[in-house]
Amino acid sequence: MLNTDHFLEQLYHDTVSKPASKLYDTNWQEHTKTKFEYLIGHFPCPEDNSLNPKIVEKTEKDEYWRLKVEITTIDNLRCPTYVLIPKKKTTATLPAVLALHGHGYGNKEIVGLNHDGTEIEGTPGIHNNCAINLVLKGMVVVAPELIGFGDRKLERDDKSDDPSQNSCFSIASQLLLMGKTIAGLRVFECRRVIDYIQTIETVDHEKIGCIGFSGGGLVAAFTSIVDERIKATVLTGYTNTFKGSIMDRNHCLDNYIPGILQLGEMPELLGAITPRPLFIESGFHDTVFPIKHAKEALQTITDIYSSFKAENQLNHHFFDGKHEICGEKSYNWLYQNLMMCE
């Protein structure tokens, strides 16, 4: 192939190579965050900052309420968001979790619903009823629908008979031509969702966490980097290296940020979350974000957290599973860390 592979391999190493004496300190962290926000693209807050929340659905379950709320994120964009609220309260206010779904048919899947809104019965799929498990732990769970999925697809894609059909490529490619990214838009919208979380009376504003799976893990990670209102983060089925995942096979275009490798490999970006608590969850048989490179990433993140004397704020669970949410250790970890926030 006329040395194409070798050329790209060398270009990658030239781009990400760093001096052996590189310092991970507050100057590095501030530079990383500032440059990162620039690379994902800026979306200005609307002059009318109102979220205009509207409850469109309310369902009573045995141990929690499930609300469907629409909020305004930017201009005329409305974001459908599920809010799960425990019926039983052990404290006056409760911790809240921003729960971000991966590729599939949208936020219905993470709250235990089929694409048509009926309840999932039997095996729940790779999202494993994540939001339900979290609300049963005693947390308010807020699960927005990421743009490009479910009810937020482009009209032309909404005609498909496949509910998992998405508009990621179409939206991402258009935004790239405008100097923006779909990752940046999703991060912006999640920050608006956090604005909404802070209006919920039962939520303790100092106890807001985040969990994201796969593509939702990207959004959870990127939002946590730039928004310190997130006090603890769980990344499941995402943590890796760019080289070992999205550069190794064809992935959705929503993963690609122009120039990101000039700033750092994925684990360096995730390390910028330090010293806030971070939990990494990956399956041994995950073929989308392989475990080999998840372990490699964890080592770099550990080095960064250690540089900030925050290694005790980093935890992980490599479980016997595939590309899916596990939650065996991460759910309790998230609850405990949020309850310790003041």
Side-chain angles (χ1 to χ4, degrees):
M1 297 297 289
L2 300 178
N3 294 321
T4 303
D5 295 270
H6 180 268
F7 167 75
L8 287 175
E9 187 74 19
Q10 186 61 51
L11 189 60
Y12 167 80
H13 286 291
D14 290 345
T15 302
V16 301
S17 62
K18 54 184 184 290
S21 59
K22 181 172 182 177
L23 285 178
Y24 293 116
D25 57 15
T26 53
N27 289 331
W28 162 83
Q29 186 179 46
E30 187 61 33
H31 168 77
T32 298
K33 289 184 176 184
T34 301
K35 183 67 173 177
F36 176 77
E37 283 199 80
Y38 171 78
L39 289 174
I40 63 175
H42 176 68
F43 291 88
C45 284
E47 291 184 12
D48 177 8
N49 205 35
S50 176
L51 296 161
N52 299 310
K54 179 182 178 183
I55 298 176
V56 296
E57 198 176 285
K58 186 173 183 179
T59 305
E60 183 175 9
K61 306 295 290 181
D62 289 342
E63 297 183 64
Y64 62 93
W65 291 95
R66 185 182 68 230
L67 281 62
K68 186 175 183 180
V69 180
E70 290 182 356
I71 65 168
T72 299
T73 54
I74 183 172
D75 296 334
N76 61 348
L77 277 182
R78 297 283 284 174
C79 179
T81 302
Y82 283 107
V83 181
L84 278 56
I85 303 174
K87 286 184 176 180
K88 185 181 294 185
K89 290 172 58 178
T90 56
T91 54
T93 55
L94 300 171
V97 179
L98 177 66
L100 304 175
H101 63 84
H103 283 68
Y105 54 82
N107 62 348
K108 290 184 177 70
E109 189 168 2
I110 204 169
V111 300
L113 298 175
N114 294 305
H115 69 88
D116 60 2
T118 57
E119 306 282 340
I120 292 177
E121 297 180 1
T123 305
I126 59 177
H127 285 79
N128 279 319
N129 291 340
C130 171
I132 295 176
N133 287 306
L134 290 170
V135 75
L136 294 179
K137 295 284 184 186
M139 294 173 274
V140 175
V141 185
V142 181
E145 187 146 78
L146 300 179
I147 194 164
F149 296 102
D151 295 330
R152 306 192 72 202
K153 293 181 286 194
L154 296 174
E155 288 184 13
R156 67 188 184 206
D157 297 320
D158 201 32
K159 298 173 183 176
S160 172
D161 293 332
D162 180 5
S164 295
Q165 175 74 33
N166 64 64
S167 297
C168 295
F169 182 87
S170 299
I171 297 173
S173 57
Q174 292 182 56
L175 288 171
L176 286 171
L177 294 176
M178 304 174 203
K180 301 180 186 299
T181 67
I182 192 170
L185 179 54
R186 287 172 175 169
V187 168
F188 175 85
E189 289 201 307
C190 282
R191 300 185 78 174
R192 292 284 282 161
V193 174
I194 296 173
D195 292 343
Y196 169 70
I197 291 174
Q198 293 185 314
T199 71
I200 302 174
E201 291 183 359
T202 54
V203 168
D204 185 331
H205 296 180
E206 297 301 318
K207 293 179 168 59
I208 298 175
C210 186
I211 184 170
F213 168 62
S214 192
L218 178 152
V219 184
F222 288 10
T223 306
S224 297
I225 291 170
V226 301
D227 199 321
E228 295 193 2
R229 290 178 295 178
I230 296 176
K231 305 300 185 183
T233 301
V234 174
L235 304 179
T236 175
Y238 177 67
T239 302
N240 222 260
T241 64
F242 293 130
K243 184 79 164 94
S245 57
I246 67 171
M247 293 176 66
D248 188 57
R249 68 214 66 192
N250 292 330
H251 268 258
C252 180
L253 189 58
D254 61 7
N255 285 282
Y256 300 89
I257 313 294
I260 196 68
L261 282 173
Q262 294 173 332
L263 181 60
E265 250 286 6
M266 186 198 297
E268 288 189 291
L269 302 180
L270 303 186
I273 296 172
T274 189
R276 285 171 289 149
L278 176 63
F279 192 103
I280 292 163
E281 179 181 274
S282 294
F284 283 118
H285 310 292
D286 190 330
T287 58
V288 183
F289 292 94
I291 190 68
K292 172 184 176 182
H293 304 290
K295 290 179 177 180
E296 180 185 341
L298 177 61
Q299 183 56 60
T300 299
I301 298 168
T302 300
D303 291 343
I304 295 172
Y305 267 68
S306 296
S307 296
F308 284 77
K309 296 184 173 22
E311 55 268 38
N312 62 328
Q313 301 289 5
L314 180 64
N315 213 323
H316 73 279
H317 180 209
F318 296 145
F319 62 94
D320 186 18
K322 53 182 181 179
H323 187 60
E324 60 187 329
I325 298 176
C326 174
E328 179 184 333
K329 296 182 179 180
S330 60
Y331 294 159
N332 284 333
W333 177 93
L334 186 56
Y335 178 77
Q336 291 165 3
N337 273 273
L338 290 178
M339 290 304 291
M340 288 190 291
C341 294
E342 296 180 355

